[in-house]
Amino acid sequence: MAGELPFEKPLLELRMKIDELKRFGQEKGIDFTDEISRLELRYQQLKQELYSELTAAQKMHLARHHQRPTSLDIIHAVFTDFIELHGDRLYADDLAIVGGLAKLGDIPVTVIGHQRGKDTKDNIARFFGHPHPEGFRKALRLMQQANKFKRPIVTLIDTKGAYPGNAAEERGQSEAIARNLREMATFGVPIICIVIGEGGSGGALALGVGNRVLMLENAIYSAISPNGAASILWKDASKADQAAETMKITAKDLLGFEIIEEIVPEPEGGAHRDLAQLAEVLREAVQRHLSELSVMTSEQLVEDRYQKFRKIGAFTEAVSIQEQAADDSVSVESVRAQV
């Protein structure tokens, strides 16, 4: 195992004991087969227990794992013939957004995603996955091109949020995000959005208006990052774990709210454990949804997308005691007694 998180420490310690016992047996010529078998069984049981009951905070840490596959990793694993396109034709090429042409099987698609860095130097170049306005405008340019040539669009969401600096605001950060939301709602081609890591704030939403929104099993999706929420609620960003537990940001929560359509299972221990396995499952899911959407006309796709987001946040108004009493022709006191 590599890159273990704090909650995975018991697994790491048990694995080290097993490896140590194996080495000792080989060095001393002693047969520890039975002991090793028992420990291996305990290891598998502990592993299953640990990953089957992850908390929201633990999933948040998995979503942010430094070895978690990035958009480019997934693009190269799931798609073929990828050709990256650069620049917004207005200001610059934002490396926090990557995108271009690719094939999903035999189907030409446009694929776009947030891109974190692999190391410190790469992270600095890519602004740690926080896009500037030119990044969102690059994404919009590629989506407009896809709409023109009737290519399906696949977006990969993985950012804590849009870049929060003065330069981004001066160049129209909020307008760029708002324009993406508006334009994505009108495109007459299938749009599939996949939250592969952390989907945070407007930076995520700018690539998130699709006919289908999928989430990897350990991904998170929220209107504000847990750190930002903790800073506002408790004036302490270190309480991000506590915020994550209360914000309902996991794939299971969002599926229940009908904000997403499907949870894509990850390899045991997280997406970084087996990229090939993840790619196979993800490819099948995207192809399945794309097949369902491909039979719709442009007008039907726009309406389907509208109805998907229109139903989010639906609520019913509670009837007041006075209204209930009037409807039932009884006294307010008797209604209060029933309540």
Side-chain angles (χ1 to χ4, degrees):
M1 296 177 70
E4 288 78 10
L5 296 168
F7 70 87
E8 297 174 304
K9 188 176 179 181
L11 271 180
L12 176 61
E13 292 175 345
L14 186 53
R15 172 50 60 191
M16 291 174 63
K17 287 181 181 179
I18 294 171
D19 292 342
E20 185 179 354
L21 190 58
K22 286 180 179 179
R23 285 195 301 270
F24 185 77
Q26 291 173 353
E27 292 172 0
K28 302 298 182 181
I30 304 174
D31 186 6
F32 289 116
T33 303
D34 292 340
E35 290 81 357
I36 292 172
S37 297
R38 283 195 294 269
L39 289 175
E40 288 283 7
L41 179 60
R42 173 57 187 151
Y43 178 83
Q44 293 302 325
Q45 291 172 341
L46 181 61
K47 189 173 167 182
Q48 186 175 5
E49 291 170 6
L50 181 66
Y51 293 122
S52 63
E53 300 177 359
L54 290 175
T55 66
Q58 289 169 340
K59 289 189 175 184
M60 175 186 72
H61 291 297
L62 278 175
R64 295 175 172 178
H65 198 288
H66 68 280
Q67 294 179 345
R68 192 171 179 85
T70 65
S71 289
L72 283 176
D73 292 330
I74 289 177
I75 288 171
H76 290 300
V78 174
F79 302 90
T80 58
D81 301 326
F82 176 61
I83 302 174
E84 186 174 356
L85 302 178
H86 298 272
D88 66 341
R89 305 287 174 85
L90 291 171
Y91 182 79
D93 182 30
D94 186 355
L95 299 182
I97 294 280
V98 296
L101 312 179
K103 282 189 176 180
L104 182 66
D106 295 327
I107 304 172
V109 300
T110 291
V111 58
I112 305 163
H114 301 97
Q115 180 64 23
R116 296 176 288 105
K118 288 288 192 178
D119 51 37
T120 302
K121 184 178 180 180
D122 196 20
N123 263 318
I124 291 172
R126 298 185 185 277
F127 304 104
F128 292 83
H130 298 281
H132 283 68
E134 51 269 24
F136 297 124
R137 289 173 182 140
K138 173 168 68 171
L140 178 59
R141 179 174 76 83
L142 298 182
M143 289 188 283
Q144 288 171 333
Q145 182 196 71
N147 187 58
K148 178 180 179 179
F149 292 103
K150 303 302 178 185
R151 284 194 302 269
I153 298 168
V154 180
T155 67
L156 304 174
I157 298 170
D158 186 18
T159 182
K160 292 182 180 180
Y163 191 80
N166 290 340
E169 296 298 333
E170 290 168 356
R171 296 200 293 273
Q173 186 74 287
S174 58
E175 187 277 340
I177 293 172
R179 184 181 292 271
N180 277 28
L181 297 178
R182 185 188 71 182
E183 296 298 316
M184 289 185 78
T186 66
F187 291 144
V189 295
I191 303 178
I192 299 175
C193 308
I194 310 164
V195 185
I196 62 172
E198 180 172 10
S201 193
L205 293 177
L207 297 185
V209 183
N211 298 90
R212 301 289 184 270
V213 179
L214 317 181
M215 280 182 72
L216 297 193
E217 183 181 359
N218 296 315
I220 60 174
Y221 198 21
S222 58
I224 186 173
S225 72
N227 304 73
S231 297
I232 294 171
L233 295 174
W234 297 290
K235 312 298 181 186
D236 185 357
S238 66
K239 292 187 176 181
D241 285 5
Q242 184 177 344
E245 296 294 343
T246 61
M247 290 172 63
K248 305 297 182 184
I249 59 177
T250 67
K252 184 178 179 181
D253 293 324
L254 297 178
L255 184 65
F257 295 142
E258 297 186 3
I259 293 174
I260 67 170
E261 277 67 47
E262 183 177 342
I263 299 174
V264 180
E266 296 184 21
E268 192 172 51
H272 58 289
R273 300 293 182 191
D274 192 337
L275 177 57
Q277 180 184 337
L278 174 69
E280 184 177 347
V281 176
L282 193 54
R283 186 184 303 110
E284 185 278 328
V286 176
Q287 288 175 329
R288 174 163 35 83
H289 285 285
L290 197 55
S291 176
E292 294 171 2
L293 295 170
S294 63
V295 300
M296 296 184 184
T297 64
S298 295
E299 293 75 15
Q300 289 172 329
L301 286 167
V302 173
E303 179 63 18
D304 173 78
R305 206 174 303 131
Y306 172 80
Q307 293 300 334
K308 169 188 166 48
F309 285 91
R310 188 71 179 83
K311 70 182 180 183
I312 294 175
F315 65 93
T316 56
E317 259 186 65
V319 178
S320 70
I321 290 177
Q322 287 78 8
E323 291 173 328
Q324 187 177 345
D327 291 342
D328 297 340
S329 300
V330 296
S331 67
V332 172
E333 288 72 19
S334 63
V335 173
R336 284 201 178 100
Q338 292 175 12
V339 174

